[in-house]
Amino acid sequence: MPAPVVLILAAGRGERFLSSGGCTHKLAALLNGKSVLEHVIQAVETANLRWYLVCPEGGTCGMGKSISLGVHATLQAPGWLILPADLPLIQPSSLQRVAAELEESSIVVPHYQNYSGHPVGFRQEHRAELLALSGDTGAKEIVRRARQGEEAKDIFLSDYGITHDIDTLADLQAAQRLIDLSRD
């Protein structure tokens, strides 16, 4: 099966980051000399996966609408990995693992310890449901229904980066500390 397309969702306002003391949009905030968004794109490219940046005209829309826009722009993809653009610590190997697991299951949900993370993977058979999303409601309901039919697979990864999003200035500072510690 050809690899899925990673939909990098970059359509949020980032208001919590700004209200926490951030001076720029969270995706433009610098982390170890690169923007948060650049870290995410680099991880996807290192994983050797195709990607599409969902950043609509006008700048902001909810999670559901962002997913729908991304799927619409990549209709022929065999599947999609839904990846919020504020996960700069995600490891390329995590992206590759979710993509590989889509060969066996129509939905793949990664977890780090007891927390579900991203990217959540969807195969082509969920296209219509993903296209129907709107507003701030993401794909959780699609995953819930798939679990009832035993179509969703949970995988467990050792990558903290699948759950550590940048919502506040403190999150960014914590990410920088983790990067600094990994160099020691």
Side-chain angles (χ1 to χ4, degrees):
M1 179 174 117
V5 172
V6 180
L7 299 180
I8 302 174
L9 308 181
R13 288 188 287 275
E15 292 171 340
R16 287 194 310 182
F17 186 78
L18 293 170
S19 67
S20 74
C23 300
T24 185
H25 190 283
K26 67 181 181 178
L27 299 181
L30 292 182
L31 176 63
N32 208 38
K34 290 188 294 196
S35 74
V36 168
L37 180 58
E38 286 175 299
H39 281 276
V40 172
I41 291 171
Q42 181 179 15
V44 175
E45 289 179 343
T46 301
N48 207 21
L49 293 167
R50 294 177 300 141
W51 55 276
Y52 180 81
L53 181 64
V54 181
C55 190
E57 205 60 43
T60 62
C61 64
M63 174 79 79
K65 182 65 176 174
S66 294
I67 294 169
S68 177
L69 288 169
V71 170
H72 188 266
T74 59
L75 283 174
Q76 300 310 312
W80 301 272
L81 302 187
I82 309 300
L83 180 62
D86 63 354
L87 291 165
L89 301 179
I90 193 162
Q91 298 299 307
S93 59
S94 296
L95 295 161
Q96 292 167 332
R97 174 84 187 280
V98 173
E101 293 290 342
L102 275 180
E103 292 188 25
E104 304 298 322
S105 301
S106 69
I107 294 179
V108 178
V109 181
H111 297 267
Y112 173 75
Q113 295 181 351
N114 293 324
Y115 300 97
S116 60
H118 284 93
V120 177
F122 296 86
R123 279 198 320 222
Q124 177 66 241
E125 55 255 49
H126 296 284
R127 180 176 70 178
E129 294 169 286
L130 294 169
L131 285 169
L133 294 173
S134 63
D136 268 338
T137 304
K140 285 184 180 180
E141 186 60 26
I142 298 169
V143 172
R144 189 190 66 73
R145 283 193 306 270
R147 283 190 196 292
Q148 290 175 337
E150 298 182 5
E151 297 174 55
K153 180 176 186 178
D154 295 299
I155 61 171
F156 298 89
L157 305 174
S158 60
D159 179 6
Y160 173 70
I162 70 169
T163 60
H164 186 84
D165 56 348
I166 306 298
D167 285 330
T168 66
L169 189 56
D171 295 335
L172 183 69
Q173 293 163 343
Q176 185 63 59
R177 282 192 301 277
L178 287 169
I179 290 171
D180 293 344
L181 284 172
S182 72
R183 283 188 273 195
D184 293 341

